[in-house]
């Protein structure tokens, strides 16, 4: 049963595994279950495969500065969609997106043009990272969706600067921000978000029947 807006706003990351605007229209397949870690049995569920996802919260009050001097953060346009597709696909071995998928993102009710950014190297004049976020105007929720930095440019605080720039752009407009990701991702994205001021301990299990 879908929770109310009030219930969600009282504990966004602990009541739903995904943002409210997505949950309103989501229908899980029959072979899937989503369970918060507090309700997950100690022995696990042997008949299901288990993917764990963290979900974190930011109140937008304190936003650190990553101080990455070589990077210019610029607002992306529709002409930059292919660049963002390329950046995302270079960052994963098991995920692929295409131009049509990103164009559809730009047609959702939570699309905000200011929340599509490119990280451009000032010295090399190339795009080395990208960030995409949503803004749910009904709830005042900023949702970080895609934060990518090309493998050769990681560990230079570029990811932090992208995240913090998105937060700064919505400070005074959004009421809060959320982000989620795979808890077992080898790149440890949770650490990146915590460096940017995100907090919380919520973990969700996405279960698929074997």
């Amino acid at each position: 049963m879908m929770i109310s807006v009030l219930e969600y706003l009282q504990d966004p990351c602990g009541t739903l595994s995904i943002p409210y605007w997505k949950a309103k229209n989501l229908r899980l397949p029959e072979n899937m279950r989503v369970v918060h870690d507090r309700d997950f049995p100690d022995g696990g569920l042997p008949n299901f495969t288990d993917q764990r996802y963290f979900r974190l919260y930011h109140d937008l009050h304190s936003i650190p500065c990553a101080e990455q001097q070589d990077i210019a953060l610029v607002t992306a346009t529709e002409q930059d969609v292919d660049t963002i597709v390329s950046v995302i696909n270079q960052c994963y071995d098991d995920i692929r997106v295409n131009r049509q998928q990103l164009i559809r993102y730009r047609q959702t009710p939570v699309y905000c043009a200011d929340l599509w950014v490119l990280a451009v190297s000032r010295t090399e004049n190339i795009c080395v990272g990208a960030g995409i976020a949503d803004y749910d105007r009904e709830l005042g929720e900023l949702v970080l969706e895609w934060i990518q930095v090309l493998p050769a440019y990681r560990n230079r605080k570029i990811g932090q600067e992208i995240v913090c720039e998105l937060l700064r752009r919505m400070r005074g407009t959004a009421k809060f921000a959320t982000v989620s990701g795979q808890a077992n991702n080898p790149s440890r994205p949770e650490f990146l978000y915590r460096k940017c001021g995100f907090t919380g301990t919520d973990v969700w299990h996405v279960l698929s029947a074997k």
Side-chain angles (χ1 to χ4, degrees), residues 20-48:
Y20 190 85
W21 81 270
K22 289 184 178 181
K24 287 191 299 185
N25 301 309
L26 179 67
R27 296 293 181 271
L28 281 177
E30 292 292 331
N31 66 329
M32 290 188 66
R33 295 172 60 185
V34 180
V35 180
H36 194 280
D37 196 54
R38 62 175 169 261
D39 302 316
F40 196 69
D42 292 338
L45 295 172
N47 295 326
F48 290 84

Side-chain angles (χ1 to χ4, degrees), residues 12-72:
C13 299
T15 51
L16 288 175
S17 63
I18 57 176
Y20 190 85
W21 81 270
K22 289 184 178 181
K24 287 191 299 185
N25 301 309
L26 179 67
R27 296 293 181 271
L28 281 177
E30 292 292 331
N31 66 329
M32 290 188 66
R33 295 172 60 185
V34 180
V35 180
H36 194 280
D37 196 54
R38 62 175 169 261
D39 302 316
F40 196 69
D42 292 338
L45 295 172
N47 295 326
F48 290 84
T49 58
D50 181 12
Q51 283 280 354
R52 297 170 64 249
Y53 290 83
F54 63 82
R55 193 152 189 247
L56 303 176
Y57 178 92
H58 201 298
D59 61 14
L60 298 178
H61 291 161
S62 178
I63 302 173
C65 178
E67 299 181 351
Q68 171 48 252
Q69 300 297 322
D70 181 51
I71 296 300

Side-chain angles (χ1 to χ4, degrees), residues 11-192:
D11 184 13
C13 299
T15 51
L16 288 175
S17 63
I18 57 176
Y20 190 85
W21 81 270
K22 289 184 178 181
K24 287 191 299 185
N25 301 309
L26 179 67
R27 296 293 181 271
L28 281 177
E30 292 292 331
N31 66 329
M32 290 188 66
R33 295 172 60 185
V34 180
V35 180
H36 194 280
D37 196 54
R38 62 175 169 261
D39 302 316
F40 196 69
D42 292 338
L45 295 172
N47 295 326
F48 290 84
T49 58
D50 181 12
Q51 283 280 354
R52 297 170 64 249
Y53 290 83
F54 63 82
R55 193 152 189 247
L56 303 176
Y57 178 92
H58 201 298
D59 61 14
L60 298 178
H61 291 161
S62 178
I63 302 173
C65 178
E67 299 181 351
Q68 171 48 252
Q69 300 297 322
D70 181 51
I71 296 300
L73 294 170
V74 299
T75 302
T77 68
E78 188 167 344
Q79 286 67 45
D80 296 311
V81 167
D82 288 335
T83 297
I84 298 175
V85 167
S86 177
V87 169
I88 292 173
N89 288 341
Q90 289 181 68
C91 291
Y92 294 99
D93 295 325
D94 57 344
I95 295 176
R96 287 292 180 269
V97 299
N98 57 48
R99 178 181 177 80
Q100 289 69 34
Q101 285 175 286
L102 291 199
I103 291 297
R104 286 197 294 272
Y105 283 165
R106 297 172 71 89
Q107 297 168 347
T108 66
V110 293
Y111 167 69
C112 179
D114 288 340
L115 299 179
W116 288 52
V117 300
L118 303 179
V120 179
S121 169
R122 298 181 192 273
T123 56
E124 299 175 70
N125 196 31
I126 59 172
C127 180
V128 299
I132 295 176
D134 300 326
Y135 179 50
D136 182 345
R137 293 161 180 82
E138 178 187 5
L139 275 65
E141 179 178 9
L142 170 65
V143 182
L144 273 59
E145 288 288 355
W146 295 97
I147 307 294
Q148 267 72 46
V149 176
L150 294 179
Y153 294 86
R154 291 173 183 169
N155 301 312
R156 303 186 192 183
K157 296 187 176 180
I158 298 173
Q160 286 178 249
E161 190 55 39
I162 293 172
V163 171
C164 290
E165 175 67 11
L166 291 169
L167 297 175
R168 285 191 291 266
R169 289 186 177 200
M170 296 304 289
R171 182 164 51 188
T173 300
K175 297 177 182 177
F176 64 98
T178 59
V179 68
S180 61
Q182 288 189 5
N184 59 347
N185 189 322
S187 65
R188 311 301 291 273
E190 183 177 352
F191 290 169
L192 162 65

